[in-house]
Amino acid sequence: MEKKKTGIPYLAALLLVLLPAFLLSSCKEPKTPSLSQHPCSPEAETLLAGLHRIAEGPSFMYGHQDDTAYGHSWKYEDGRSDTKDVCGDYPGVIGFDLGHLELGRSRNLDGVPFNWMRREIIRQYERGGMVTLSWHLDNPLTGGNAWDYSNKETVSSILPGGSLHDEFLVRLGRVADFFESIVTEKGVKVPMLFRPWHEHTGSWFWWGQDNCTTEQYKALWRMTFDFMQKRGLTNLLWAYSPGSEPKNQEEYFERYPGDDIMDVLGFDTYQSDSREGYLRVMKKSLDVLIEAAQTHNKVAAVTETGYESTPDSTWWTGTLVPALDNAPIAYVLVWRNAWDRETHHYGIYPGHESEADFMIFYNDSRTVFANDAKLK
Ligand code: BMA
């Protein structure tokens, strides 16, 4: 006769099976909480964790705009970099600019082919470094460049309800297509830091302080972010990058679009006259930035700086390092070395008067270049 299943033994057997499974699962390490407040690919999470790690320690990465596209006296040479020509390593951070990508052009506003840029972004990721992307996009209303702020209706014209909204979504789509195309041979969508709408606390760009309202500026960000999220671009981290104008938290966050978008907080400022003046502005801006980043649990970075032509043979250790003053930042990025403008350079290159000083900077245990960034 078949044994009849009675209620109690059956339940006991079930418990015997389920209890160990339950105990095992409750002992498992809790899942690390996401550092970002928006959906992120695993690779973007790893990048963000690496940025936090570097920012929290005594080190910071050296960054250089357009580093592997061209240098002070050359352009488009495979593998070449002014930084590497001097110290043997690539910067920890390389910046590129997307301006004119939105127009469907094959080269950016400074002549860099987007195909070249895509390959260099992948290479920088493969070597364990990071790429940050700025966007000096043309004025969609006037057809002028990013510095054309002649028409104060520009931002409102591209927001939802504006006459150029649909056309602007086509432009955003071209940028999204490019992001989507940045994939390694193994199929990894490369994580990168996107830093649009920068220096908005000044008024030299059409999205700047006097050229749109606070609400319009925030809506511009929201539209951009939502568009990229809808396109599934969770490989992007996002950076907020005012100029050096904000003097306190209130001014820093006046046009801040929200913690749910941003991963990195920074500022852009350049030395234009005395060392003392630069040190003063850097100190004030870093004080504001570090407090902002700490209270919002974001990564801090000096998203753009430099001294055009670097006319100071000890600028790296005599001005930049003291200006950073051991602040908990992930990186400092200096601007491009234009190949076609003799004096428009901010990074190091062989033969520059500050080359020996740059080597001291490079050998300082606090500076991180690509070989040691380990962001992958
Ligand atoms: C500016 C200058 C310009 C350049 C722009 C975008 O600061 O370097 O020559 O076109 O950045 O890279």
Side-chain angles (χ1 to χ4, degrees):
M1 203 180 81
E2 201 190 19
K3 261 217 272 184
K4 209 172 164 250
K5 279 186 195 148
T6 59
I8 287 165
Y10 179 67
L11 259 182
L14 202 67
L15 263 181
L16 268 177
V17 172
L18 288 183
L19 199 64
F22 169 77
L23 284 177
L24 259 181
S25 76
S26 64
C27 289
K28 258 201 336 219
E29 284 281 302
K31 196 174 171 291
T32 323
S34 172
L35 286 165
S36 186
Q37 287 177 240
H38 58 77
C40 258
S41 67
E43 293 79 15
E45 285 282 358
T46 303
L47 171 58
L48 186 56
L51 291 176
H52 275 283
R53 167 180 47 83
I54 296 174
E56 279 153 22
S59 326
F60 60 90
M61 290 187 283
Y62 173 71
H64 185 215
Q65 184 74 1
D66 280 348
D67 188 79
T68 52
Y70 54 78
H72 180 57
S73 58
W74 57 274
K75 56 178 169 170
Y76 316 124
E77 289 181 34
D78 198 0
R80 191 163 175 192
S81 140
D82 274 346
T83 311
K84 182 165 157 281
D85 281 353
V86 167
C87 69
D89 198 359
Y90 294 97
V93 177
I94 298 181
F96 289 111
D97 197 275
L98 303 174
H100 292 184
L101 178 62
E102 74 286 353
L103 304 176
R105 305 256 176 88
S106 61
R107 289 168 177 265
N108 83 352
L109 74 166
D110 300 315
V112 181
F114 289 111
N115 285 339
W116 186 284
M117 199 184 287
R118 176 188 301 106
R119 190 194 62 190
E120 293 305 321
I121 293 171
I122 296 169
R123 283 180 174 175
Q124 176 68 358
Y125 169 67
E126 303 274 19
R127 60 173 81 100
M130 185 186 87
V131 166
T132 173
L133 298 159
S134 52
W135 191 18
H136 288 83
L137 68 167
D138 278 6
N139 183 316
L141 183 59
T142 64
N145 61 24
W147 295 265
D148 175 7
Y149 51 84
S150 59
N151 193 321
K152 315 274 184 230
E153 303 303 314
T154 305
V155 172
S156 66
S157 77
I158 60 174
L159 291 176
S163 58
L164 294 176
H165 178 63
D166 290 347
E167 199 180 317
F168 194 72
L169 294 189
V170 173
R171 295 186 183 197
L172 278 177
R174 293 187 182 117
V175 175
D177 291 344
F178 180 70
F179 287 149
E180 210 166 68
S181 75
I182 305 174
V183 181
T184 66
E185 274 183 10
K186 288 188 181 149
V188 173
K189 284 190 178 165
V190 174
M192 49 208 154
L193 183 64
F194 188 28
R195 188 175 68 91
W197 315 126
H198 67 305
E199 299 176 12
H200 65 283
T201 48
S203 298
W204 45 88
F205 295 128
W206 54 259
W207 57 87
Q209 185 81 20
D210 296 340
N211 307 323
C212 62
T213 67
T214 296
E215 288 321 307
Q216 287 166 348
Y217 181 77
K218 287 185 182 177
L220 184 63
W221 259 102
R222 194 53 67 185
M223 173 177 75
T224 312
F225 175 76
D226 287 348
F227 187 93
M228 298 301 166
Q229 285 286 317
K230 273 199 201 104
R231 287 284 307 258
L233 291 162
T234 54
N235 52 325
L236 297 179
L237 297 179
W238 297 77
Y240 178 71
S241 182
S244 59
E245 291 78 14
K247 290 183 296 299
N248 51 44
Q249 298 303 297
E250 199 190 331
E251 290 177 16
Y252 189 86
F253 286 115
E254 192 212 323
R255 297 191 168 199
Y256 185 62
D259 274 344
D260 60 321
I261 297 181
M262 235 50 86
D263 300 293
V264 173
L265 304 183
F267 66 85
D268 295 0
T269 198
Y270 286 84
Q271 180 171 350
S272 53
D273 44 41
S274 74
R275 176 178 179 275
E276 288 63 41
Y278 178 69
L279 290 181
R280 224 180 2 257
V281 173
M282 284 289 282
K283 177 167 177 21
K284 186 253 324 174
S285 298
L286 275 168
D287 284 350
V288 173
L289 171 67
I290 299 309
E291 187 185 340
Q294 280 172 351
T295 53
H296 288 249
N297 194 24
K298 305 293 175 188
V299 171
V302 178
T303 38
E304 275 186 42
T305 197
Y307 187 11
E308 189 172 26
S309 298
T310 327
D312 173 351
S313 61
T314 58
W315 192 75
W316 305 99
T317 65
T319 297
L320 182 60
V321 170
L324 297 175
D325 194 25
N326 290 316
I329 56 165
Y331 74 88
V332 57
L333 179 133
V334 296
W335 206 239
R336 66 200 195 99
N337 290 354
W339 59 272
D340 53 351
R341 283 165 67 188
E342 188 56 32
T343 58
H344 195 56
H345 53 82
Y346 299 82
I348 198 63
Y349 61 82
H352 186 274
E353 61 168 310
S354 69
E355 192 179 354
D357 189 60
F358 188 87
M359 283 308 293
I360 302 175
F361 174 79
Y362 170 74
N363 285 317
D364 186 319
S365 60
R366 288 169 296 184
T367 60
V368 176
F369 288 68
N371 281 339
D372 299 313
K374 299 184 173 48
L375 291 170
K376 190 156 65 89

